[in-house]
Amino acid sequence: MTWIHACTVQQVPEDEGFRVPTTPPIAVFRVADEFFAVGDTCTHDEFSLAEGYLDGDVVECPLHMARFCLRTGKVLAPPAIIPLETYPVRRDGDDLFVDVPERTDDR
């Protein structure tokens, strides 16, 4: 795993998401004083979850209303059936870092 600089705290408004332009993209969410990072693409139909609706630690895809737990990636409402990838988040002052898998040449 590799820690990457994802964004600053200020780039993630409370109860909203921020899309990190990695490959694949990651979404960072702020819920109260906690930060969560998940795969940004809805597993049901390719759509950015950073644009989704938050209800506590649950994000809802605005396209077809699939819901996911930001803590575990677990699917909470169909039509999605595949969970999201989750990533550890570390805060260092005003900077947020996400621990992502190392890429290999065959990806």
Side-chain angles (χ1 to χ4, degrees), residues 3-49:
W3 288 97
I4 63 162
H5 181 265
C7 55
T8 64
V9 170
Q10 294 79 12
Q11 289 177 289
V12 188
E14 189 167 337
D15 296 326
E16 291 188 28
F18 177 83
R19 187 173 194 263
V20 181
T22 54
T23 303
I26 294 172
V28 176
F29 294 92
R30 181 183 206 164
V31 179
D33 290 330
E34 289 186 90
F35 293 91
F36 302 96
V38 297
D40 180 54
T41 306
C42 179
T43 60
H44 166 253
D45 196 0
E46 294 187 13
F47 197 84
S48 173
L49 291 174

Side-chain angles (χ1 to χ4, degrees), residues 5-102:
H5 181 265
C7 55
T8 64
V9 170
Q10 294 79 12
Q11 289 177 289
V12 188
E14 189 167 337
D15 296 326
E16 291 188 28
F18 177 83
R19 187 173 194 263
V20 181
T22 54
T23 303
I26 294 172
V28 176
F29 294 92
R30 181 183 206 164
V31 179
D33 290 330
E34 289 186 90
F35 293 91
F36 302 96
V38 297
D40 180 54
T41 306
C42 179
T43 60
H44 166 253
D45 196 0
E46 294 187 13
F47 197 84
S48 173
L49 291 174
E51 298 178 34
Y53 310 109
L54 283 185
D55 182 11
D57 63 356
V58 175
V59 63
E60 180 178 290
C61 179
L63 193 58
H64 293 116
M65 295 11 143
R67 294 170 53 97
F68 303 90
C69 176
L70 293 175
R71 294 179 188 279
T72 64
K74 181 179 177 181
V75 175
L76 301 176
I81 58 172
I82 299 168
L84 294 175
E85 188 76 32
T86 60
Y87 305 94
V89 178
R90 182 183 80 214
R91 182 176 179 173
D92 184 2
D94 285 339
D95 294 310
L96 297 174
F97 296 86
V98 176
D99 196 6
V100 297
E102 291 185 31

